[in-house]
Amino acid sequence: MSIPFKILATLVVLAWSAINSFAQYGCRVDPAGAAGRFNVTKIYTNQQSGANTNPVRFYSNSSPYDISCPSGATRTTVYAANVSDYVPYTQCFVEYMGSGTTTQPFNYYQNGRLVNFRIANCPIDDYIPLMLVGLAGMGFVMVRRKCLGLMD
């Protein structure tokens, strides 16, 4: 392997590691725990004011993330990717009813479990033409070098 290839491979591995290190956690609520409010899985990340726990277990129902790209999504639409269970298993609660203390589970409409995830843009299909142009350009350069006798 050539030195430039090794450097490029190292940079790709480091970039991939950096992308996956921007993870966060939130409350995943499946339709069964949503009290009939929706029929898709959502992840909530905004802590309910006044409910300070570590880890955060009580969430408001504002700005949830879907766990897959919704239909009609554009490349600026975000979703929760690489979802995995938070360890140890921790139950969480969403959508405070407005009465009682904010740290009591029975004062919330929805329940779920804590998960780790990262935010990703969707869909990747928008980038395929750009990737094909890049690959075609690299192929052209490699063939041209080979024809000119510049490669080993």
Side-chain angles (χ1 to χ4, degrees), residues 79-134:
Y79 74 104
N82 298 352
V83 179
S84 63
D85 286 337
Y86 183 87
V87 177
Y89 176 87
T90 306
Q91 195 171 15
C92 56
F93 306 92
V94 177
E95 196 176 352
Y96 178 60
M97 291 180 184
S99 61
T101 61
T102 56
T103 56
Q104 292 299 320
F106 50 81
N107 291 331
Y108 288 81
Y109 287 112
Q110 304 175 48
N111 66 74
R113 66 185 186 279
L114 288 184
V115 292
N116 297 307
F117 69 98
R118 71 175 185 83
I119 298 170
N121 289 359
C122 57
I124 187 137
D125 298 350
D126 290 348
Y127 301 106
I128 288 176
L130 184 62
M131 288 187 273
L132 289 175
V133 168

Side-chain angles (χ1 to χ4, degrees), residues 38-95:
F38 53 83
N39 59 2
V40 295
T41 300
K42 296 187 178 288
I43 297 178
Y44 297 87
T45 58
N46 295 328
Q47 181 176 359
Q48 175 66 40
S49 60
N52 299 325
T53 59
N54 189 13
V56 176
R57 294 182 51 224
F58 301 97
Y59 294 85
S60 69
N61 63 336
S62 62
S63 305
Y65 294 105
D66 289 333
I67 62 163
S68 62
C69 290
S71 61
T74 65
R75 68 179 131 182
T76 58
T77 306
V78 294
Y79 74 104
N82 298 352
V83 179
S84 63
D85 286 337
Y86 183 87
V87 177
Y89 176 87
T90 306
Q91 195 171 15
C92 56
F93 306 92
V94 177
E95 196 176 352

